[in-house]
Coordinates of all heavy atoms in Angstrom, one line a residue:
E691 N 1.7 11.7 12.7 CA 0.5 11.7 11.8 C 0.6 10.5 10.8 O -0.3 9.9 10.5 CB 0.4 13.0 11.1 CG 0.0 14.2 11.9 CD 1.1 14.8 12.7 OE1 2.2 14.3 12.7 OE2 0.9 15.9 13.3
L692 N 1.8 10.3 10.3 CA 2.0 9.3 9.3 C 1.8 7.9 9.9 O 1.3 7.0 9.3 CB 3.4 9.3 8.7 CG 3.7 10.5 7.8 CD1 5.2 10.5 7.3 CD2 2.8 10.6 6.7
E693 N 2.2 7.7 11.2 CA 1.9 6.5 11.9 C 0.4 6.2 12.1 O 0.0 5.1 12.0 CB 2.7 6.4 13.2 CG 4.2 6.3 13.0 CD 4.6 5.2 12.0 OE1 4.0 4.0 12.1 OE2 5.4 5.4 11.2
H694 N -0.3 7.3 12.3 CA -1.8 7.2 12.4 C -2.3 6.7 11.0 O -3.2 5.8 11.0 CB -2.4 8.5 12.7 CG -2.3 8.8 14.2 ND1 -2.5 7.9 15.2 CD2 -2.0 10.0 14.8 CE1 -2.4 8.5 16.4 NE2 -2.0 9.8 16.2
V695 N -1.8 7.2 9.9 CA -2.2 6.8 8.6 C -1.8 5.3 8.4 O -2.6 4.5 7.9 CB -1.6 7.7 7.5 CG1 -1.9 7.1 6.1 CG2 -2.1 9.1 7.6
R696 N -0.6 4.9 8.8 CA -0.2 3.6 8.6 C -1.1 2.6 9.4 O -1.5 1.6 8.8 CB 1.2 3.4 9.2 CG 1.9 2.1 8.8 CD 3.2 1.8 9.6 NE 4.1 2.9 9.5 CZ 5.0 3.0 8.5 NH1 5.0 2.1 7.5 NH2 5.9 4.0 8.5
G697 N -1.5 3.0 10.6 CA -2.4 2.1 11.4 C -3.8 2.0 10.7 O -4.4 1.0 10.7
A698 N -4.3 3.2 10.2 CA -5.6 3.2 9.6 C -5.6 2.3 8.3 O -6.5 1.5 8.1 CB -6.0 4.6 9.2
V699 N -4.5 2.4 7.5 CA -4.5 1.6 6.3 C -4.4 0.1 6.7 O -5.1 -0.8 6.1 CB -3.2 2.0 5.5 CG1 -3.0 1.0 4.3 CG2 -3.4 3.4 4.9
K700 N -3.6 -0.3 7.7 CA -3.5 -1.7 8.1 C -4.9 -2.2 8.6 O -5.3 -3.3 8.3 CB -2.4 -1.8 9.2 CG -1.0 -1.7 8.6 CD 0.0 -2.1 9.7 CE 1.4 -2.2 9.1 NZ 2.4 -2.8 10.0
A701 N -5.6 -1.3 9.4 CA -6.9 -1.8 9.9 C -7.8 -2.0 8.7 O -8.6 -2.9 8.7 CB -7.4 -0.7 10.8
H702 N -7.8 -1.1 7.7 CA -8.7 -1.2 6.6 C -8.4 -2.4 5.7 O -9.3 -3.0 5.0 CB -8.6 0.1 5.7 CG -9.6 0.1 4.6 ND1 -10.9 0.2 4.8 CD2 -9.4 0.0 3.3 CE1 -11.5 0.2 3.6 NE2 -10.6 0.1 2.7
T703 N -7.1 -2.8 5.7 CA -6.7 -4.0 4.8 C -6.5 -5.3 5.6 O -5.8 -6.1 5.2 CB -5.4 -3.6 4.1 OG1 -4.4 -3.2 5.0 CG2 -5.6 -2.5 3.1
C704 N -7.1 -5.4 6.8 CA -7.1 -6.6 7.5 C -5.7 -6.8 8.2 O -5.3 -8.0 8.3 CB -7.5 -7.8 6.7 SG -9.1 -7.6 6.0
G705 N -5.0 -5.8 8.5 CA -4.0 -5.9 9.5 C -2.6 -6.1 9.2 O -2.0 -5.4 8.4
D706 N -2.0 -7.0 10.0 CA -0.6 -7.0 10.2 C 0.2 -7.5 9.1 O 1.4 -7.5 9.1 CB -0.2 -7.8 11.5 CG -0.7 -7.1 12.8 OD1 -0.8 -5.9 12.7 OD2 -1.0 -7.8 13.8
G707 N -0.4 -8.1 8.1 CA 0.3 -8.6 6.9 C 0.6 -7.6 5.8 O 1.0 -8.0 4.7
V708 N 0.4 -6.3 6.1 CA 0.5 -5.3 5.1 C 1.6 -4.3 5.4 O 1.7 -3.9 6.6 CB -0.8 -4.5 5.0 CG1 -0.7 -3.3 4.0 CG2 -2.0 -5.4 4.6
D709 N 2.5 -4.1 4.5 CA 3.5 -3.0 4.6 C 3.0 -1.8 3.9 O 2.5 -1.8 2.8 CB 4.8 -3.4 4.0 CG 5.6 -4.4 4.8 OD1 5.5 -4.3 6.1 OD2 6.3 -5.3 4.3
V710 N 3.1 -0.6 4.6 CA 2.6 0.7 4.1 C 3.9 1.5 3.8 O 4.7 1.8 4.8 CB 1.7 1.4 5.1 CG1 1.2 2.7 4.5 CG2 0.5 0.5 5.4
F711 N 4.0 2.0 2.6 CA 5.2 2.8 2.2 C 4.7 4.3 2.1 O 3.8 4.6 1.3 CB 5.8 2.4 0.9 CG 6.1 0.9 0.9 CD1 6.0 0.2 -0.3 CD2 6.5 0.2 2.0 CE1 6.3 -1.1 -0.4 CE2 6.8 -1.2 1.9 CZ 6.7 -1.8 0.7
F712 N 5.4 5.2 2.8 CA 5.1 6.6 2.6 C 6.2 7.2 1.7 O 7.4 7.1 1.9 CB 5.2 7.4 4.0 CG 4.1 6.9 4.9 CD1 4.4 6.1 6.0 CD2 2.8 7.4 4.7 CE1 3.4 5.7 6.9 CE2 1.8 7.0 5.6 CZ 2.1 6.2 6.7
V713 N 5.7 7.7 0.5 CA 6.7 8.2 -0.5 C 6.3 9.6 -1.0 O 5.1 9.8 -1.3 CB 6.6 7.2 -1.7 CG1 7.6 7.6 -2.8 CG2 6.9 5.8 -1.3
H714 N 7.3 10.4 -1.1 CA 7.1 11.8 -1.7 C 6.9 11.6 -3.2 O 7.6 10.8 -3.8 CB 8.3 12.6 -1.5 CG 8.5 13.1 -0.1 ND1 8.0 14.2 0.4 CD2 9.2 12.5 0.9 CE1 8.4 14.4 1.7 NE2 9.1 13.3 2.0
A715 N 6.0 12.4 -3.8 CA 6.0 12.4 -5.2 C 7.3 12.7 -5.8 O 7.8 12.2 -6.8 CB 4.9 13.4 -5.7
E716 N 8.0 13.7 -5.2 CA 9.4 14.1 -5.7 C 10.3 12.9 -5.6 O 11.2 12.8 -6.5 CB 9.9 15.2 -4.8 CG 9.2 16.5 -5.0 CD 9.8 17.6 -4.2 OE1 10.7 17.4 -3.4 OE2 9.3 18.8 -4.2
Q717 N 10.2 12.1 -4.6 CA 11.1 10.9 -4.5 C 10.9 10.0 -5.7 O 11.9 9.4 -6.2 CB 10.9 10.2 -3.2 CG 11.5 11.0 -2.0 CD 11.2 10.2 -0.7 OE1 10.0 9.8 -0.4 NE2 12.2 10.1 0.2
L718 N 9.7 9.7 -6.0 CA 9.4 8.8 -7.1 C 10.0 9.3 -8.5 O 10.2 8.6 -9.4 CB 7.9 8.6 -7.2 CG 7.3 7.7 -6.1 CD1 5.8 7.7 -6.3 CD2 7.9 6.3 -6.2

Side-chain angles (χ1 to χ4, degrees):
E691 289 84 351
L692 293 180
E693 289 310 315
H694 284 315
V695 173
R696 192 192 305 275
V699 171
K700 286 190 173 187
H702 184 70
T703 55
C704 304
D706 291 335
V708 176
D709 283 328
V710 181
F711 308 147
F712 295 104
V713 184
H714 291 270
E716 290 180 0
Q717 286 175 314
L718 287 172

